[in-house]
Amino acid sequence: MSQNGFPLDRRNVLVGLALLPLADAAGAQGLGSGLTGVLGMASDSALDKLAVPGAFYADPAVRIMLPLLGGGGGLLGQVLSKGSKLGLTDGLTRKLNDAAGLAAKEAKPVFRTAIDRLTLSDVPGIATQNDGASQYLRSSAGDELTARLRPLIDSALGRTGAFTSLNKLSGRSGISALSGMTRDKLGASVTDQALNGIFRYIGAEEGKLRANPLKPAESLLKGILGN
């Protein structure tokens, strides 16, 4: 077993492939198909995990935070922290994370469509990185995914009561107006943060699928690579 988690023999095949020109277009197409298959499974698994109630909030690495001008450690952060203790924020942060989870639950078709549209370039380079396909998806389809995820986030923010809490926060304290928090900015911020979290999980799932020979990813890449 190599240090990066690949079985040594398979890693050698992948590295060798990266050093050889892909003269066989059919071989490149087959490898690309295998990688998109792995990516599809990784995205499904990541979204399933993040769709579990409380998953976003429970993981500090992907937890959705209130968008604040001046940063969480500045004056506005101190004001909102005090407001939370006084009950002014009405559990708004929790509702943002709940909304991200609801959106993740509905986002599988969005990610699958983007994955199906991928035309992989630099296939050998992508194949040799544990999260190479995930990175490529983000760089090539990130704007599309942001645009398609945003309506899901906005709908979920309404269902969890996050927008209602924001209105209460503004009416009772003026804090949201002071911080520049609007429904549009809140939706945009939650979408960006949720997408960051989703891609973090997709990359991790892709790495697990590649490294575990018992997973279906092995058969997807194994036949193509001849190993």
Side-chain angles (χ1 to χ4, degrees):
M1 181 71 69
S2 66
Q3 291 182 349
N4 67 1
F6 280 97
L8 186 58
D9 54 352
R10 186 149 125 257
R11 181 175 180 272
N12 287 341
V13 172
L14 291 170
V15 172
L17 180 62
L19 296 176
L20 293 174
L22 279 174
D24 186 351
Q29 182 179 5
L31 179 54
S33 177
L35 286 168
T36 55
V38 170
L39 186 54
M41 288 187 292
S43 72
D44 284 352
S45 179
L47 291 167
D48 282 341
K49 289 182 177 181
L50 288 170
V52 173
F56 268 97
Y57 191 86
D59 185 351
V62 299
R63 185 178 298 159
I64 309 297
M65 303 301 293
L66 286 166
L68 301 176
L69 298 180
L75 176 60
L76 295 176
Q78 296 174 23
V79 171
L80 279 173
S81 177
K82 292 178 181 178
S84 179
K85 292 177 182 178
L86 293 172
L88 295 176
T89 59
D90 195 23
L92 180 53
T93 300
R94 287 273 189 176
K95 293 174 183 178
L96 302 185
N97 284 271
D98 290 344
L102 289 175
K105 187 176 182 179
E106 300 172 351
K108 276 187 183 180
V110 171
F111 277 80
R112 279 288 187 168
T113 297
I115 291 167
D116 289 343
R117 291 177 181 170
L118 282 182
T119 301
L120 296 179
S121 63
D122 188 25
V123 173
I126 295 170
T128 55
Q129 301 176 62
N130 272 351
D131 63 345
S134 303
Q135 291 182 34
Y136 187 79
L137 175 64
R138 180 154 205 178
S139 65
S140 61
D143 290 343
E144 174 192 349
L145 288 168
T146 298
R148 298 191 65 191
L149 187 64
R150 175 65 189 271
L152 298 180
I153 291 290
D154 284 346
S155 174
L157 287 170
R159 282 181 283 159
T160 62
F163 283 145
T164 299
S165 294
L166 180 64
N167 291 339
K168 288 181 179 179
L169 180 63
S170 180
R172 291 166 58 183
S173 64
I175 292 176
S176 66
L178 177 65
S179 66
M181 248 197 297
T182 63
R183 288 168 66 110
D184 181 65
K185 288 183 180 180
L186 186 64
S189 176
V190 174
T191 300
D192 288 344
Q193 292 182 70
L195 200 57
N196 287 339
I198 290 170
F199 270 109
R200 186 184 185 96
Y201 269 54
I202 291 177
E205 291 302 307
E206 180 187 348
K208 290 177 186 177
L209 285 168
R210 289 170 179 260
N212 191 339
L214 299 180
K215 292 288 185 179
E218 175 76 6
S219 60
L220 283 173
L221 295 177
K222 190 174 183 180
I224 298 166
L225 297 176
N227 181 34

